[in-house]
Amino acid sequence: AQRVTQPEKLLSVFKGAPVELKCNYSYSGSPELFWYVQYSRQRLQLLLRHISRESIKGFTADLNKGETSFHLKKPFAQEEDSAMYYCALIWSGNTGKLIFGQGTTLQVKP
Amino acid sequence: NAGVTQTPKFQVLKTGQSMTLQCAQDMNHNSMYWYRQDPGMGLRLIYYSASEGTTDKGEVPNGYNVSRLNKREFSLRLESAAPSQTSVYFCASSAPEWTSGPQGDIQYFGAGTRLSVL
């Protein structure tokens, strides 16, 4: 069964420290993965997706099919990165349905 | 451009009461979704509608019904609310890849409805 696991509920780092939010998935086909972010008092929005291979707000994520992971990384955290982060997987076929992980709250301390 | 609009923003119900959560999008998207967000559980799909006139169950459909009124609107109904349905509800929309290319499967979310059932 398709599943997305984010093992950390809360990740707390100091400003300027590196950040890695973990995401592991189980999926029998070729996965399409996303990171969505929810800043305080804002709606959930797309941060990045693996097929774009881009860096958004300094974040990158590489799909590792061998380890079935899609970890989100940033070399130097900023206070404005504090938010809830969700890893998500396209569920099946062409319906566009997403399976979300449990979410990780990133807290960047000054 | 409003995107995805949800009403109401907050609601308190008593056990057994019914209510309908409204969602509308102005992006001409084919697909619409209802999720619930609970601490430690992430977002879970309740129902979705791949296109106007079709609806299908997600992970947690029990206790809910939906109506895809037209291409813009997708409502979620709680017929007899229970405390277990206390949650934050999000509506989202997208235009799947087969209709609009690789950008189509990005989902756009509403601001959410915070529902408490006492």
Side-chain angles (χ1 to χ4, degrees), chain A:
Chain A
Q2 298 93 335
R3 185 181 300 142
V4 177
T5 302
Q6 293 178 249
E8 302 140 327
K9 284 187 180 178
L10 172 67
L11 184 62
S12 186
V13 301
F14 285 102
K15 177 183 173 181
V19 170
E20 182 179 53
L21 287 83
K22 297 188 188 304
C23 172
N24 289 91
Y25 67 90
S26 61
Y27 186 67
S28 56
S30 183
E32 187 173 350
L33 288 144
F34 305 79
W35 278 99
Y36 280 81
V37 61
Q38 188 176 26
Y39 300 103
S40 179
R41 297 190 177 84
Q42 295 187 27
R43 57 188 69 193
L44 196 64
Q45 59 188 290
L46 178 72
L47 179 63
L48 55 79
R49 54 191 300 189
H50 87 272
I51 64 170
S52 300
R53 296 182 177 274
E54 57 194 346
S55 174
I56 304 292
K57 299 184 178 183
F59 285 98
T60 58
D62 292 318
L63 178 61
N64 185 324
K65 291 187 179 181
E67 295 182 359
T68 60
S69 68
F70 187 56
H71 302 328
L72 183 68
K73 300 177 184 179
K74 185 170 182 176
F76 307 103
Q78 302 298 316
E79 289 181 68
E80 55 266 30
D81 296 327
S82 295
M84 173 72 88
Y85 291 80
Y86 289 99
C87 183
L89 169 73
I90 286 276
W91 194 350
S92 62
N94 59 6
T95 63
K97 294 188 293 181
L98 290 172
I99 292 179
F100 284 87
Q102 301 91 328
T104 298
T105 299
L106 174 64
Q107 183 183 73
V108 182
K109 296 179 285 189

Side-chain angles (χ1 to χ4, degrees), chain B residues 24-69:
Chain B
Q25 52 91 10
D26 60 4
M27 296 174 283
N28 201 36
H29 284 167
N30 289 320
S31 297
M32 297 185 74
Y33 314 84
W34 276 105
Y35 295 91
R36 58 179 289 172
Q37 181 187 43
D38 301 291
M41 305 290 285
L43 275 78
R44 293 180 292 170
L45 183 66
I46 305 171
Y47 269 94
Y48 72 100
S49 170
S51 61
E52 184 180 352
T54 68
T55 61
D56 212 339
K57 296 178 180 178
E59 297 175 73
V60 288
N62 291 344
Y64 305 95
N65 284 301
V66 290
S67 295
R68 184 72 183 267
L69 304 169

Side-chain angles (χ1 to χ4, degrees), chain B:
Chain B
N1 186 351
V4 179
T5 303
Q6 289 182 236
T7 55
K9 287 186 167 54
F10 302 95
Q11 184 71 48
V12 178
L13 293 177
K14 294 181 180 178
T15 297
Q17 287 185 315
S18 62
M19 79 161 295
T20 300
L21 281 64
Q22 308 286 352
C23 175
Q25 52 91 10
D26 60 4
M27 296 174 283
N28 201 36
H29 284 167
N30 289 320
S31 297
M32 297 185 74
Y33 314 84
W34 276 105
Y35 295 91
R36 58 179 289 172
Q37 181 187 43
D38 301 291
M41 305 290 285
L43 275 78
R44 293 180 292 170
L45 183 66
I46 305 171
Y47 269 94
Y48 72 100
S49 170
S51 61
E52 184 180 352
T54 68
T55 61
D56 212 339
K57 296 178 180 178
E59 297 175 73
V60 288
N62 291 344
Y64 305 95
N65 284 301
V66 290
S67 295
R68 184 72 183 267
L69 304 169
N70 46 56
K71 192 171 186 178
R72 290 188 64 248
E73 298 172 288
F74 187 39
S75 62
L76 178 72
R77 183 159 177 84
L78 286 71
E79 291 290 352
S80 179
S84 61
Q85 294 178 304
T86 293
S87 187
V88 181
Y89 292 85
F90 288 99
C91 177
S93 71
S94 72
E97 183 173 350
W98 61 274
T99 60
S100 65
Q103 296 301 313
D105 51 6
I106 297 170
Q107 292 194 12
Y108 296 85
F109 286 81
T113 296
R114 191 173 294 274
L115 175 68
S116 293
V117 183
L118 306 177

